[in-house]
Amino acid sequence: MTGRDGGPAGGPWISLTTDYGLADGFVAACHGVLARLAPAARVIDVTHLVPPADVRRGAAVLAQAVPYLPVGVHVAVVDPGVGTARRGVALATPGGLLVGPDNGLLLDAAEALGGITGAVELTSPAWLAPTVSRTFHGRDVFAPVAARLALGAPLAEAGPAVDPATLVRLPAPLVRADDAGFTAEVLTVDHFGNVQLAAPGALLAGLPERVRVAGRVAVRGRTFGDAPAGGLVAYVDSAGLVALAVNTGRAVDLLGVRPGEVVTVTGDVVPVTGD
């Protein structure tokens, strides 16, 4: 796997996913390193607005995006442990290469790209910046490595092999089904205030057209317009997961939930006070 893709311009592709934000020069510095080392590479910015240090959110965004990106090298940096003993790694998959911290950020994306076929720890000095900052590995470690991989350098030259079984994994999000419905952890909240649950969409299939979500009645629909304006809808989103939205509103505000909290969805629509 070289990370090359025969795209329109014939050059390699690199993607960037970070929590760096847009107010500082961090993203530009990473782009600069890539441009200096691999000027022919085409760079896709997935997002730089992952909430700071929210590794689970970064992992979800990355995993849901990479299947639709060109085959290439995908750099992800949501790295509260930067400068500590945590490893920097590069992972090979049938669908591309992943570069970033060994903190669970990359593994869902690796599965989405076909599973890990090889892994290395990023320790080769020749692959890194001449001086590596303790707090900016995106610029000094991950971007230089990504550039070299995109140009076709062998993964094995980046550092020693890593047993994939030793890679750090995030705890599996809670999903529990029962006869009444299911309970699932909030996985992400998007820009529109839609609440994505960790539950697979199939869990909605056996429920009636009206369901109860965290004590509120919702429509089980296919899209936002299946609920009246201001109404709550439970649907299967573009990632195949159960999501909650408010037609012309924000489900996250209506439900008052945050990532990591749990939501119960049932077919029980017995009226409760406040409906």
Side-chain angles (χ1 to χ4, degrees):
M1 173 60 65
T2 66
R4 294 182 182 273
D5 177 67
W13 292 88
I14 300 171
S15 78
L16 291 173
T17 303
T18 78
D19 62 351
Y20 287 162
L22 301 175
D24 303 293
F26 304 134
V27 174
C30 293
H31 270 271
V33 170
L34 296 173
R36 288 165 66 93
L37 295 177
R42 303 180 68 181
V43 181
I44 297 174
D45 292 288
V46 176
T47 183
H48 299 292
L49 298 177
V50 174
D54 190 341
V55 178
R56 186 181 290 282
R57 168 69 171 164
V61 170
L62 183 67
Q64 291 171 28
V66 290
Y68 304 96
L69 301 181
V71 174
V73 183
H74 306 294
V75 181
V77 191
V78 181
D79 193 13
V82 63
T84 69
R86 74 97 183 94
R87 299 178 293 191
V89 294
L91 312 179
T93 77
L97 295 158
L98 295 155
V99 177
D102 179 20
N103 62 4
L105 178 64
L106 306 178
L107 296 194
D108 287 346
E111 289 302 310
L113 293 175
I116 297 171
T117 58
V120 299
E121 183 176 1
L122 306 177
T123 60
S124 177
W127 281 57
L128 312 180
T131 301
V132 175
S133 164
R134 288 189 177 275
T135 58
F136 199 177
H137 285 189
R139 179 193 66 192
D140 298 337
V141 176
F142 304 134
V145 167
R148 286 167 171 78
L149 290 173
L151 292 176
L155 180 65
E157 293 183 3
V162 169
D163 181 351
T166 69
L167 294 168
V168 173
R169 297 180 179 275
L170 296 172
L174 172 68
V175 181
R176 183 176 63 245
D178 56 35
D179 291 341
F182 61 89
T183 297
E185 187 173 325
V186 175
L187 192 60
T188 69
V189 176
D190 70 15
H191 171 73
F192 300 101
N194 301 325
V195 175
Q196 183 186 62
L197 304 182
L203 290 181
L204 272 181
L207 298 182
E209 293 183 1
R210 278 164 47 96
V211 296
R212 190 169 295 281
V213 177
R216 295 180 178 272
V217 173
V219 173
R220 180 174 63 84
R222 295 175 297 176
T223 188
F224 316 118
D226 288 341
L232 184 63
V233 58
Y235 64 104
V236 180
D237 71 7
S238 61
L241 298 174
V242 177
L244 310 168
V246 170
N247 187 6
T248 68
R250 294 176 59 82
V252 67
D253 296 335
L254 178 67
L255 297 172
V257 295
R258 297 181 298 175
E261 296 181 348
V262 297
V263 171
T264 297
V265 179
T266 69
D268 177 13
V269 293
V270 175
V272 297
T273 302
D275 274 358

